[in-house]
Amino acid sequence: MCSHGDKAAEEASPSSVSIMNASPDSELTVTIGATVPTGFEHTAAEEVQEKIGVDARISRDRGRIYFPVTTDKLSEVHHLRSVDNLFVVVKEYDQYQFKESKEETLMELQELASKLPWTNALEVWKLNRTLKKKKSYRKGGNATKAKPADTGVCDAAEQQETAQELSAAEGDTKDAPDVESHQQEAAPEDKPIKFRVTCNRAGDKHSFSSNEAARDFGGAVQEFFQWKADMTKFDIEVLLNIHNEEMVVGIALTEESLHRRNISHFGPTTLRSTLCYGMLRLCKLQPSDVVLDPMCGTGAIPLEGAIEFNSSFYIAGDNNDMAVNRTLNNICHIQKRRADKGRMGSRKKNWDLYPSCLREMARVCRPGSGKAVLLTQDKKCFSKAISRMGGLWKKLHTVWVNVGGLHAGVYLLKRTAGVPVALRRLHREGHPA
């Protein structure tokens, strides 16, 4: 973090850069910013220490934390349960001295765009895109709601007009990163990068609005990188977070808030999943604890608990039928999402799966009388697996069925009195069964 002075040379000095250069043999180390539910900053910092292994710094602007990570842990950062939005820091200013005049301040923001150390932050943004299975556009971006504050997202036409009015002489780019290399790396097939700037501002001593800051800074960013402004279908969201004299420039890493992860059916008072995580973490749940939510609403608390603290047991209820239905729908949504992520089984895997399952079933079924009923479409693999069980199972009956257009078999098996190979080996070695 650095304080802002009048000398442009100080702004570009290596000691003021929040993103550190990595050695050739090491991962890139960057500063990650995260928005969290206000009041749960310390809870989020504890989770970062527990799961990422680094210390997080709590911002003076409530609802934000910052922590260093190496790029090999970037995917782990996305699995944090207490954070809403993530961004990589381009540069932090601890005490930015804003001018009293609005015109001077906005001109200074325009000049700042070409002096910032963008290189590493853009590398992280590029890596972050590869972690996502498919590309989708953010509905609301990373504008945060805070009081007293206002949020500005500059209009595309305003950015473009501002960029056209800026002359090349307004910013000396001799110390700036190579713009062409960024475009080639971040935009496959030389497609023009689309971006927008979002300004989140809190404080009553600023001479400018969030919209004005986003518009003028965004115009300068567009002029510097030759990107295309697009307020909805953007590739990059540049963040300008201003809280009194603290200013942080960053690039968003989340397309929408992570608090939406569990809920598909919202109600009028749906809690954020990140807030639910903080509440549950405060309880320090132990295995076999029973958690009761008598006013579950959409089920946000028990759902978060069952996913993250799954050694406890959860009971949910509500006196509103619509709330109960929303909870059930959210449970079904999560189950379907899990099924879609990994469809069960494959013919290739069955050759290992079926013998293992049959051996385990033989271990737990009572010899001589235990039965198993199994359904499978992979008849060849199943028959081979039965024949190689060493006589542990006897096929009693087969029913051929049609399951959604697929020809499958239902097999009734009886456990014989045979002893599994592992138990026979134990007996030979003199160990008790």
Side-chain angles (χ1 to χ4, degrees), residues 47-54 67-69 73 76-77 80:
E47 187 192 13
V48 169
Q49 173 58 243
E50 179 184 297
K51 297 180 179 178
I52 309 297
V54 297
F67 53 94
V69 297
K73 292 187 176 181
E76 297 176 37
V77 173
L80 292 172

Side-chain angles (χ1 to χ4, degrees), residues 34-44 57-66 84 87 144-149 200-203 241-244 246 248 275:
T35 61
V36 303
T38 302
F40 280 96
E41 296 87 353
H42 288 282
T43 301
R57 170 173 52 86
I58 298 172
S59 171
R60 291 199 303 269
D61 181 10
R62 295 190 69 193
R64 287 193 178 91
I65 63 171
Y66 297 92
D84 289 322
F87 58 93
T144 58
K145 296 180 180 179
K147 292 183 179 182
N200 301 296
R201 186 184 62 84
N241 296 328
I242 300 171
H243 179 257
N244 293 324
E246 183 183 51
V248 179
L275 179 58

Side-chain angles (χ1 to χ4, degrees), residues 84-202:
D84 289 322
N85 288 293
L86 297 165
F87 58 93
V88 58
V89 173
V90 176
K91 193 169 182 179
E92 294 178 81
Y93 295 94
D94 188 27
Q95 292 187 342
Y96 193 97
Q97 301 300 318
F98 292 102
K99 306 295 184 185
E100 293 185 6
S101 163
K102 177 169 72 175
E103 290 72 19
E104 287 182 300
T105 299
L106 294 178
M107 180 60 69
E108 198 170 65
L109 288 176
Q110 293 174 16
E111 294 172 350
L112 184 65
S114 63
K115 300 171 183 176
L116 292 171
W118 297 97
T119 307
N120 290 352
L122 287 170
E123 283 297 317
V124 172
W125 167 80
K126 174 187 170 186
L127 174 62
N128 190 68
R129 294 186 82 187
T130 66
L131 299 176
K132 294 179 290 186
K133 291 184 178 179
K134 62 180 181 179
K135 178 182 175 182
S136 59
Y137 292 110
R138 276 158 287 199
K139 296 178 181 178
N142 285 273
T144 58
K145 296 180 180 179
K147 292 183 179 182
D150 66 66
T151 301
V153 179
C154 59
D155 180 78
E158 289 183 315
Q159 279 191 359
Q160 215 153 9
E161 283 179 19
T162 306
Q164 291 169 352
E165 292 169 0
L166 290 172
S167 64
E170 284 185 286
D172 182 6
T173 60
K174 65 180 181 179
D175 295 324
D178 184 352
V179 178
E180 288 187 2
S181 67
H182 284 318
Q183 287 179 310
Q184 291 169 0
E185 291 172 359
E189 302 176 4
D190 295 328
K191 291 182 180 179
I193 291 180
K194 298 177 182 179
F195 86 108
R196 86 173 191 187
V197 171
T198 300
C199 177
N200 301 296
R201 186 184 62 84

Side-chain angles (χ1 to χ4, degrees), residues 332-405:
C332 292
H333 170 74
I334 291 176
Q335 289 175 331
K336 182 179 183 303
R337 186 175 64 190
R338 287 182 168 181
D340 290 341
K341 280 186 176 180
R343 293 292 179 184
M344 290 168 35
S346 69
R347 288 186 179 273
K348 182 178 180 181
K349 292 180 180 178
N350 287 346
W351 290 96
D352 293 323
L353 176 65
Y354 285 6
S356 298
C357 287
L358 288 168
R359 277 193 296 269
E360 182 63 10
M361 289 176 182
R363 186 183 70 82
V364 299
C365 280
R366 180 179 296 164
S369 61
K371 292 185 177 68
V373 181
L374 302 102
L375 182 149
T376 179
Q377 186 199 4
D378 197 347
K379 299 177 285 291
K380 179 181 178 181
C381 180
F382 187 76
S383 297
K384 287 283 187 182
I386 288 289
S387 67
R388 295 174 180 174
M389 283 297 102
L392 293 176
W393 292 103
K394 179 181 179 182
K395 192 187 301 182
L396 296 180
H397 187 53
T398 303
V399 178
W400 303 110
V401 296
N402 187 300
V403 182

